[in-house]
């Protein structure tokens, strides 16, 4: 259903979005074209939680926004909600992180399936108050304004950039919205601009053929300050490895009593592979040590 009412939008913190109102709606519940998928999906997740310890929902559909006098902009969006009750021995903060990173990882996989590689994540609070960008115009996307809605917890949400343009948001709803709807446990939500992904995928991108030579895999764990993004560390690893690092994946994230206060532990899996020959273990080990030295030069602790 492509229709919503204003009350539902306000209930979930979407009251700031401009609506395309219908002149003769069939009912008050169908008075406007929906500008986002999440309000109705969150309401559905609320109902599902009454009977299930875990809820996984997604929807792909059209969203509509005003685009001038008597004009409407239509795009395709993907929305997802992951909600989970806390386990008996699970700490609340661990649960929140696991739910957020699971949904963020699913969104990352989706973007990569489009064949896109210029992917970046920024904390939502950094995007809302970027240092040194006063007066500068950001890359256009309807999701730039969409990400500023009341729903998102600024310190626990991330904005997705594809080819330098905002293309979606993943995050934790503010506690007041969850409390108002009696949703306990951990909840993460996402809305991705599917149209932006399709347009980016249709543009020309540098083609890198698959190598016929075997890959070598090494893991690395590094302690960094909490404000350092995992994406930044991963890009530094890829930059140092150059053509011999085919992939860098974050597979573990930890904050807690086993690491110093104000820091977090990030664990990456690095895939080494050459296009023209079989890499030896010695070559991979030497490059891995070089990456360790580079990380240490940034003031980060390799574990």
């Amino acid at each position: 259903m492509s229709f919503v009412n204003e009350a539902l939008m306000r209930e979930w913190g979407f009251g700031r979005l401009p609506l395309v109102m219908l002149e003769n709606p069939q009912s008050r519940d169908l008075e406007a074209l929906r500008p986002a998928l999440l309000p109705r999906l969150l309401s559905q997740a609320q109902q599902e939680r009454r009977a299930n310890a875990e809820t996984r929902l997604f929807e792909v559909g059209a969203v509509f926004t005003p685009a001038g006098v008597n004009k409407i902009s239509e795009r395709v969006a993907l929305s997802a909600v992951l909600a989970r009750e806390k386990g008996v021995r699970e700490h609340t903060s661990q649960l929140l992180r696991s739910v957020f990173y699971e949904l963020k990882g699913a969104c990352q996989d989706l973007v990569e399936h489009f064949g896109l590689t210029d992917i970046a994540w920024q904390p939502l609070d950094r995007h809302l108050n970027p240092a040194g960008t006063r007066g500068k115009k950001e890359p256009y996307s309807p999701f730039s304004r969409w990400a500023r809605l009341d729903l998102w917890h600024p310190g626990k949400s991330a904005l997705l950039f594809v080819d330098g343009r905002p293309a979606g948001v993943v995050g934790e709803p503010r506690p007041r919205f969850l409390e108002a709807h009696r949703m306990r446990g951990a909840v993460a939500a996402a809305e991705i601009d599917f149209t932006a992904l399709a347009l980016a995928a249709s543009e020309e991108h540098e083609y890198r053929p698959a190598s016929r030579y075997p890959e070598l895999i090494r893991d690395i764990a590094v302690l960094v300050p909490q404000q350092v993004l995992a994406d930044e560390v991963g890009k530094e690893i890829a930059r140092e490895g150059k053509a011999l690092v085919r992939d860098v994946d974050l597979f573990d994230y930890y904050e807690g009593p086993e690491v110093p206060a104000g820091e977090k532990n990030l664990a990456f899996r690095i895939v080494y592979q050459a296009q023209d020959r079989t890499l030896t273990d010695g070559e991979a080990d030497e490059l891995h040590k070089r990456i360790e030295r580079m990380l240490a030069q940034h003031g980060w602790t390799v574990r």
Side-chain angles (χ1 to χ4, degrees):
M1 183 180 296
S2 298
F3 305 102
V4 293
N5 61 64
E6 287 187 273
L8 178 66
M9 302 298 291
R10 288 194 299 270
E11 281 180 21
W12 287 104
F14 286 73
R16 296 184 186 181
L17 282 186
L19 298 177
V20 178
M21 305 299 295
L22 302 183
E23 290 187 356
N24 298 298
Q26 294 180 354
S27 70
R28 289 284 295 174
D29 290 336
L30 308 173
E31 63 185 356
L33 294 175
R34 62 185 182 185
L37 304 179
L38 261 182
R40 195 173 298 279
L41 201 65
L42 283 165
S43 294
Q44 185 178 346
Q46 176 195 11
Q47 298 173 10
E48 294 279 346
R49 288 297 301 279
R50 297 172 183 172
N52 301 295
E54 181 174 278
T55 299
R56 296 169 178 264
L57 300 174
F58 79 94
E59 180 181 0
V60 177
V63 294
F64 308 86
T65 53
V69 179
N70 297 325
K71 293 183 179 180
I72 300 173
S73 171
E74 178 181 351
R75 300 176 78 85
V76 177
L78 178 144
S79 178
V81 176
L82 173 58
R84 184 180 298 148
E85 292 283 358
K86 184 168 73 72
V88 176
R89 298 184 179 180
E90 190 172 24
H91 193 276
T92 301
S93 61
Q94 294 175 327
L95 174 64
L96 291 171
R97 283 196 299 272
S98 67
V99 169
F100 169 79
Y101 280 102
E102 183 175 344
L103 185 55
K104 178 175 174 284
C107 293
Q108 176 91 14
D109 290 342
L110 170 70
V111 177
E112 291 177 351
H113 276 301
F114 274 81
L116 302 171
T117 56
D118 186 2
I119 306 166
W121 296 91
Q122 289 187 14
L124 193 58
D125 52 359
R126 179 182 295 188
H127 179 68
L128 297 180
N129 301 288
T133 59
R134 184 179 299 275
K136 293 184 179 180
K137 187 176 181 180
E138 66 179 9
Y140 171 74
S141 166
F143 281 64
S144 301
R145 180 168 58 179
W146 191 93
R148 291 173 167 79
L149 298 176
D150 294 336
L151 171 72
W152 304 110
H153 192 306
K156 299 180 180 180
S157 303
L159 192 64
L160 168 67
F161 284 80
V162 175
D163 290 345
R165 295 186 290 270
V169 63
V170 179
E172 179 186 331
R174 293 179 190 265
R176 71 172 185 266
F177 293 106
L178 300 180
E179 292 167 1
H181 293 85
R182 299 181 180 179
M183 294 182 71
R184 297 187 300 272
V187 179
E191 188 140 341
I192 305 299
D193 188 345
F194 219 72
T195 297
L197 299 189
L199 290 174
S202 67
E203 297 174 354
E204 289 188 4
H205 292 82
E206 181 180 354
Y207 173 67
R208 183 178 180 181
S211 175
R212 60 189 180 91
Y213 297 98
E215 60 187 31
L216 295 173
I217 297 175
R218 300 287 188 273
D219 293 342
I220 192 168
V222 56
L223 277 177
V224 300
Q226 287 183 346
Q227 67 269 23
V228 174
L229 302 181
D231 187 60
E232 294 175 5
V233 181
K235 286 185 176 181
E236 289 296 328
I237 292 173
R239 186 178 296 113
E240 183 68 24
K242 298 180 181 177
L244 295 181
V245 170
R246 185 174 64 81
D247 195 21
V248 181
D249 287 321
L250 177 73
F251 70 87
D252 191 37
Y253 173 105
Y254 177 76
E255 292 179 31
E258 297 182 15
V259 299
E263 295 189 332
K264 59 188 177 185
N265 183 75
L266 305 175
F268 294 90
R269 180 151 294 145
I270 307 173
V271 179
Y272 297 100
Q273 189 178 45
Q275 292 286 337
D276 58 351
R277 69 187 190 283
T278 298
L279 277 183
T280 66
D281 284 325
E283 287 178 299
D285 290 341
E286 178 57 36
L287 181 53
H288 200 73
K289 290 177 182 177
R290 199 171 81 201
I291 289 172
E292 289 179 343
R293 291 193 294 269
M294 176 274 298
L295 295 173
Q297 289 172 359
H298 279 79
W300 304 331
T301 303
V302 178
R303 308 184 82 185

